[in-house]
């Protein structure tokens, strides 16, 4: 807000919004929620609508990935801004992706393996970071 031309601030924003919120949290949630609902033949109308939203979110993630790739190619120092932003947020992301306990306290809710959730989220993030030209 103080300086709309601040490229580093935009790099940080795009990292937070398009890579973390949409690309990591949103895509991971969609994957596990829709797989569970489909696997149990629940709420097919919700899943169909959710799929349309997820498709639109993929366009946003692609925009963010392309923007960051160009920003890092233009100024390699922006790669450190991406990395620092991710290092700040990843502990909270990991906590947000932890499936809640089941109602009876016998493992995670819905039988979702926390390691599988983390692996899925991290694999997607690392794939996009590879395209951007940044590693964790």
């Amino acid at each position: 807000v103080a300086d709309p031309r601040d490229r580093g601030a935009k790099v940080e924003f795009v990292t937070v919004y398009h890579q973390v919120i949409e690309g990591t949290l949103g895509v991971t949630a969609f994957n596990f929620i829709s797989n569970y609902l489909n696997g149990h033949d629940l709420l097919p109308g919700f899943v169909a609508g959710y799929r349309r939203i997820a498709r639109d979110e993929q366009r946003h993630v692609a925009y963010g990935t392309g923007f960051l790739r160009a920003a890092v190619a233009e100024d390699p120092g922006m790669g450190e801004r991406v990395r620092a932003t991710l290092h700040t947020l990843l502990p909270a992301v990991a906590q947000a992706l932890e499936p809640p306990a089941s109602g009876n306290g016998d493992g995670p809710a819905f039988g979702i393996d926390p390691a599988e959730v983390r692996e899925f989220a991290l694999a997607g993030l690392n794939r996009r970071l590879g395209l951007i030209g940044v590693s964790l």
Side-chain angles (χ1 to χ4, degrees):
V1 172
D3 183 1
R5 293 189 178 120
D6 183 344
R7 184 79 159 172
K10 185 169 182 180
V11 163
E12 289 175 11
F13 167 78
V14 169
T15 301
V16 170
Y17 190 73
H18 296 290
Q19 298 304 312
V20 174
I21 295 172
E22 291 179 318
T24 303
L25 296 172
V27 169
T28 301
F30 170 76
N31 179 71
F32 286 91
I33 291 169
S34 62
N35 284 347
Y36 179 85
L37 293 173
N38 280 331
H40 291 84
D41 201 25
L42 297 169
L43 304 173
F46 172 81
V47 173
Y50 197 12
R51 187 174 295 113
R52 287 183 179 92
I53 293 168
R55 199 171 311 134
D56 185 53
E57 294 303 310
Q58 286 294 339
R59 290 184 314 110
H60 301 170
V61 174
Y63 160 78
T65 302
F67 171 83
L68 292 173
R69 180 180 181 150
V72 169
E74 181 181 307
D75 178 358
M78 291 296 138
E80 186 52 39
R81 299 281 292 257
V82 170
R83 190 177 0 270
T85 301
L86 291 171
H87 283 186
T88 299
L89 294 174
L90 285 179
V93 169
Q95 186 176 10
L97 290 173
E98 188 71 24
S102 66
N104 62 12
D106 187 27
F110 309 108
I112 296 172
D113 180 1
E116 188 179 344
V117 174
R118 285 190 298 275
E119 182 180 316
F120 180 90
L122 194 55
L125 179 59
N126 277 320
R127 237 183 346 268
R128 292 187 309 278
L129 289 174
L131 294 171
I132 293 165
V134 174
S135 67
L136 284 175

